[in-house]
Amino acid sequence: MNEEAQYAQFIRIEQLYEWERLQEAIKETENYIQQYPEDADGYAVLSKVYLKQGDHKKALHWSLESLKKDPENEIAWEFRVSTLYTAGKYKETMTAIQEALTLFPDDAFYYFLKGNIYNKNGEYEEAKESFLIALKLEPSNAFYLASYSYVESILGNQEIALQAEKQALQLDSESSTVFLYVAWAADQRGDYAQALSYLENAVRLEPNNQQLRVEYLEILQKQFKVYQWLLVPSRMLNKVKPAMVFLIWLVAWMLFKPLVVVFIILYVAAHWITKMIVNVKVFGRLFVKV
Amino acid sequence: MTIDHEGKRKQLKVIQFDKDRNTLIEKTEPSETFADVGGLEEVKKKIQMNFILPLKNPEFFKAYGKEAGGSLLLYGPPGCGKTFLAKAIAGEINASFIHMELQAILSMYIGESEHNLHDVFEAARENKPCVLFIDELDAIGGNRQNMRQHHERMLVNQLLLELDGLDAHNHGIYVIGATNTPWYLDSALRRPGRFNQLLFISPPAVEEREVILKLKLKDKPQNALNHKKIASKTAHFSGADLEQLVGDAIESALQRSLEMGELQPLTNNDLSEALSRRKPTTLEWFSTAKNYATFSDVNKDYQQVLEYLKENKIR
């Protein structure tokens, strides 16, 4: 009976979390911890709720408290790593991932996050390897497939990217994150119409997500042919490491100064004009804070 | 508040689910009608036309092929009088009123929540004519994306089952749902015959705010309060926000009284100071609603929100 009540309370916390009633979820979890102070899951779930609330400091604190009770608590590790990742502390995330992987070597999630960090650092081959390991462990995970599709698209392997994109959407066509990743893949190969269709779905599913709104408006801008042409260089430079990009710009500046100036002026003008047209179409006015 | 001609009100039978006793309890309250609802003229007109008049004159509507009754879904920022409006509808059609709250229905034990839900509908059937008001509908009928667990889905299914019974066994039962987040509703709940009539309940306009302030400040010791001025400074405040504002002002007047050792009346200054510390809570709701209305409104359900935002210059 006691176990049943404990389980029911745990389920209730999960329910409140799903409904995004986070304050109530926090209160309920605190009650749970008071009743079952030795259960490391309680502290770990509190970390999870605080992460959703965007309070990274508290999320990290409670994940540590959970790990003090049980150094191998799966939930605590997951949310410790997720918090560090969300907070943008990629170096610390990598260290935490290595530690987590010694305990849970078959947990695909950590390879997925590793891949994302490599992606952000422009280390695409390493990212691809990480996504492939994640997919070996969980072949039917739509998130992993969509991320893999994106990185293959950057690396120029469009056929493989398209295949992974299709599979990802077959597995989950109700996730805004999956739509976002496959939109990036489509954007990368210059298929702006497809990217728009994916982002339309993404923003419809989660219109309150600022990143999705911004990316949706950007892809609307990219539907203009003039803007598309001006984006060709930047799309090509996407595949190159940041230091190399800087070098290419420097050389171009020294060799073709007037051309570079004309390009920059055209680019800025096209960017702002298309942005204003999109703003008027979507919001009915020229300048908008999204 | 208006009082009917005989100087006394009709009584409204209110039924609620008591979680502690796990049973339905009954009480009576003075009946409210549309005359008691300040403002919301457009909303009241729409409810009259689509909900109340078809009930009062079914033959006219039938002649034009329109069905009587159905169910309504009220949505809008929290604290703007959705419950009060639902009660007024019950008063208008002289029906009993069942107030169903999510927290009361949800049980810790699997299967019992559906049972509780069924009991509430049964009580409505026994108390015809009856307005069954389902508060926080989004939490019961949240969309499938947020509802991966089987037992949560069962509660939605039970609700659908009860609603679909509206035609067969539920004649004389008028279901009104309320939600702050209509976009989280399971699409199955929005099909014809269920909650297909959506009504936006906006925050009170300046005249309504003045009425609310007068009402909340009535009988309090006060010193020439300028209700109109305070009302004009409280744009976008919900009824609940105004109540809190008044509460804050009373607290400072009370504190002053305790310090001075004699009763100090509430002043405009108390209200102004309280106002400087409070912001309307509706703005957060509008910023979310705007995103749904702009980016996710395939069926054009939330156009009223966009119009309201434009009219009231909310960005």
Side-chain angles (χ1 to χ4, degrees), chain A residues 122 124 150 154 187-188 232-242 245:
Chain A
Y124 301 117
Y150 174 48
I154 295 176
D187 183 31
Q188 190 56 48
V232 172
S234 93
R235 212 173 70 228
M236 286 161 78
L237 289 176
N238 246 357
K239 297 169 192 171
V240 185
K241 287 195 175 177
V245 174

Short mmCIF file of all heavy atoms in Angstrom, two decimals, chain A residues 122 124 150 154 187-188 232-242 245:
data_model
loop_
_atom_site.label_atom_id
_atom_site.label_comp_id
_atom_site.label_asym_id
_atom_site.label_seq_id
_atom_site.Cartn_x
_atom_site.Cartn_y
_atom_site.Cartn_z
N GLY A 122 31.67 22.87 -34.91
CA GLY A 122 32.09 22.73 -36.31
C GLY A 122 32.88 21.46 -36.57
O GLY A 122 33.52 21.31 -37.62
N TYR A 124 32.35 18.31 -37.63
CA TYR A 124 31.24 17.54 -38.20
C TYR A 124 31.51 16.04 -38.31
O TYR A 124 30.61 15.23 -38.11
CB TYR A 124 30.84 18.13 -39.55
CG TYR A 124 30.42 19.57 -39.41
CD1 TYR A 124 31.13 20.60 -40.03
CD2 TYR A 124 29.34 19.93 -38.61
CE1 TYR A 124 30.76 21.92 -39.88
CE2 TYR A 124 28.96 21.26 -38.44
CZ TYR A 124 29.69 22.25 -39.08
OH TYR A 124 29.32 23.56 -38.90
N TYR A 150 21.01 16.09 -40.46
CA TYR A 150 21.55 17.45 -40.56
C TYR A 150 23.05 17.43 -40.80
O TYR A 150 23.58 18.10 -41.70
CB TYR A 150 21.19 18.24 -39.30
CG TYR A 150 21.82 19.61 -39.22
CD1 TYR A 150 21.77 20.49 -40.31
CD2 TYR A 150 22.47 20.04 -38.06
CE1 TYR A 150 22.34 21.75 -40.24
CE2 TYR A 150 23.04 21.30 -37.99
CZ TYR A 150 22.98 22.15 -39.08
OH TYR A 150 23.55 23.40 -39.02
N ILE A 154 25.35 18.72 -43.98
CA ILE A 154 26.48 19.67 -43.93
C ILE A 154 27.69 19.07 -44.65
O ILE A 154 28.40 19.74 -45.39
CB ILE A 154 26.86 20.00 -42.47
CG1 ILE A 154 25.73 20.73 -41.78
CG2 ILE A 154 28.14 20.84 -42.43
CD1 ILE A 154 25.99 21.01 -40.31
N ASP A 187 17.59 23.19 -45.37
CA ASP A 187 18.15 24.51 -45.54
C ASP A 187 19.60 24.39 -46.03
O ASP A 187 20.03 25.09 -46.95
CB ASP A 187 18.11 25.23 -44.18
CG ASP A 187 18.61 26.66 -44.26
OD1 ASP A 187 18.44 27.28 -45.31
OD2 ASP A 187 19.18 27.14 -43.26
N GLN A 188 20.32 23.47 -45.42
CA GLN A 188 21.72 23.25 -45.75
C GLN A 188 21.91 22.85 -47.21
O GLN A 188 22.84 23.29 -47.87
CB GLN A 188 22.27 22.17 -44.81
CG GLN A 188 23.75 22.01 -44.86
CD GLN A 188 24.47 23.31 -44.57
OE1 GLN A 188 24.17 24.01 -43.63
NE2 GLN A 188 25.42 23.67 -45.42
N VAL A 232 24.40 32.11 -50.95
CA VAL A 232 25.22 30.99 -51.43
C VAL A 232 26.60 30.95 -50.76
O VAL A 232 27.00 29.92 -50.22
CB VAL A 232 25.32 31.00 -52.98
CG1 VAL A 232 26.34 29.98 -53.48
CG2 VAL A 232 23.96 30.74 -53.58
N PRO A 233 27.34 32.09 -50.73
CA PRO A 233 28.66 32.02 -50.08
C PRO A 233 28.57 31.57 -48.62
O PRO A 233 29.36 30.73 -48.18
CB PRO A 233 29.17 33.46 -50.16
CG PRO A 233 28.36 34.12 -51.19
CD PRO A 233 27.05 33.43 -51.25
N SER A 234 27.60 32.11 -47.90
CA SER A 234 27.55 31.77 -46.48
C SER A 234 27.19 30.29 -46.29
O SER A 234 27.66 29.63 -45.37
CB SER A 234 26.57 32.67 -45.74
OG SER A 234 25.30 32.09 -45.68
N ARG A 235 26.37 29.75 -47.22
CA ARG A 235 26.04 28.32 -47.11
C ARG A 235 27.28 27.46 -47.35
O ARG A 235 27.50 26.46 -46.70
CB ARG A 235 24.95 27.98 -48.14
CG ARG A 235 24.03 26.90 -47.62
CD ARG A 235 22.86 26.63 -48.50
NE ARG A 235 23.20 25.99 -49.73
CZ ARG A 235 22.77 26.38 -50.93
NH1 ARG A 235 22.00 27.43 -51.03
NH2 ARG A 235 23.11 25.75 -52.02
N MET A 236 28.11 27.93 -48.29
CA MET A 236 29.32 27.16 -48.57
C MET A 236 30.30 27.26 -47.41
O MET A 236 30.97 26.29 -47.05
CB MET A 236 29.95 27.65 -49.87
CG MET A 236 29.16 27.19 -51.08
SD MET A 236 29.50 28.14 -52.54
CE MET A 236 31.02 27.44 -53.05
N LEU A 237 30.36 28.45 -46.82
CA LEU A 237 31.30 28.64 -45.71
C LEU A 237 30.89 27.89 -44.45
O LEU A 237 31.69 27.67 -43.55
CB LEU A 237 31.45 30.14 -45.41
CG LEU A 237 32.21 30.94 -46.47
CD1 LEU A 237 32.20 32.41 -46.10
CD2 LEU A 237 33.64 30.45 -46.62
N ASN A 238 29.61 27.52 -44.39
CA ASN A 238 29.10 26.76 -43.24
C ASN A 238 29.86 25.47 -43.00
O ASN A 238 29.97 24.99 -41.89
CB ASN A 238 27.63 26.39 -43.52
CG ASN A 238 26.71 27.09 -42.57
OD1 ASN A 238 27.18 27.80 -41.69
ND2 ASN A 238 25.42 26.89 -42.74
N LYS A 239 30.36 24.91 -44.10
CA LYS A 239 31.03 23.60 -44.01
C LYS A 239 32.47 23.74 -43.53
O LYS A 239 33.13 22.77 -43.23
CB LYS A 239 31.01 22.93 -45.38
CG LYS A 239 29.60 22.63 -45.86
CD LYS A 239 29.59 22.23 -47.30
CE LYS A 239 28.16 22.23 -47.83
NZ LYS A 239 28.06 22.06 -49.26
N VAL A 240 32.93 24.99 -43.49
CA VAL A 240 34.34 25.22 -43.15
C VAL A 240 34.45 25.66 -41.69
O VAL A 240 33.54 26.28 -41.15
CB VAL A 240 34.89 26.32 -44.09
CG1 VAL A 240 36.37 26.52 -43.89
CG2 VAL A 240 34.60 25.97 -45.54
N LYS A 241 35.60 25.34 -41.08
CA LYS A 241 35.79 25.72 -39.67
C LYS A 241 35.90 27.24 -39.52
O LYS A 241 36.37 27.92 -40.44
CB LYS A 241 37.07 25.06 -39.16
CG LYS A 241 36.87 23.56 -38.95
CD LYS A 241 37.96 22.96 -38.12
CE LYS A 241 37.59 21.52 -37.86
NZ LYS A 241 38.56 20.79 -37.13
N PRO A 242 35.49 27.78 -38.35
CA PRO A 242 35.45 29.23 -38.16
C PRO A 242 36.76 29.95 -38.50
O PRO A 242 36.74 31.02 -39.12
CB PRO A 242 35.11 29.39 -36.68
CG PRO A 242 34.41 28.12 -36.33
CD PRO A 242 34.96 27.06 -37.21
N VAL A 245 37.07 30.29 -42.16
CA VAL A 245 36.12 31.29 -42.69
C VAL A 245 36.75 32.68 -42.60
O VAL A 245 36.73 33.47 -43.56
CB VAL A 245 34.80 31.27 -41.88
CG1 VAL A 245 33.86 32.39 -42.32
CG2 VAL A 245 34.10 29.93 -42.04
#
